[in-house]
Amino acid sequence: YRAKRYVLEISSREMAYDSFLISIANMGEWGNRAYIAPKADYKDGLLDVVIVENLSFFQALKFIFQLFTNRVDKHAHVSTIKAEEVKILRGDVNEPIHLDGTPMEISGDLHIRVVHNGLKLLVGQTKDSICKS
């Protein structure tokens, strides 16, 4: 896989990157102890836009090591931008993406934004809370 040119719109500003990978995260871990955004905080109301440039074989090895040691943000070919919303301008190109770990192919621009207070949880009583009453 080779890097591709991606155009991002963040805070009404367009920026172009030759990227191997762009990950939008609101929490630090992809899963299985792979930390793509070590400084992400789900409570700050911002997304971490992680941009990984094209990597040589040895740079990729270092990237993988840092991914699993929670230090990928220290890699010379990784940059992170914090934003409330991001658009990835792709036109009508049909390309693969991962959405929360699920691979799929879609065409068109991607628009990702924070929805404040968008998740409502209903928590029932536990046995312990009933016993303490």
Side-chain angles (χ1 to χ4, degrees), residues 1-3 18-21 52-66 75-78:
Y1 184 81
R2 295 279 178 227
D18 292 322
S19 303
F20 172 75
L21 164 75
V52 180
E53 299 172 18
N54 203 25
L55 303 171
S56 71
F57 176 77
F58 292 107
Q59 292 165 339
L61 290 177
K62 183 177 181 181
F63 172 79
I64 291 167
F65 176 76
Q66 289 179 316
H75 196 288
H77 296 280
V78 174

Side-chain angles (χ1 to χ4, degrees), residues 38-107:
K39 294 190 173 107
D41 179 359
Y42 71 93
K43 294 181 276 183
D44 68 2
L46 298 172
L47 300 166
D48 282 43
V49 182
V50 182
I51 301 155
V52 180
E53 299 172 18
N54 203 25
L55 303 171
S56 71
F57 176 77
F58 292 107
Q59 292 165 339
L61 290 177
K62 183 177 181 181
F63 172 79
I64 291 167
F65 176 76
Q66 289 179 316
L67 186 68
F68 286 96
T69 57
N70 205 11
R71 298 179 318 155
V72 76
D73 57 328
K74 307 280 189 250
H75 196 288
H77 296 280
V78 174
S79 55
T80 302
I81 301 169
K82 290 201 173 266
E84 195 168 317
E85 108 180 74
V86 60
K87 291 180 185 173
I88 302 176
L89 308 176
R90 303 171 349 128
D92 290 330
V93 176
N94 193 29
E95 293 185 317
I97 68 165
H98 267 237
L99 181 60
D100 198 22
T102 303
M104 58 183 64
E105 283 197 16
I106 62 170
S107 61

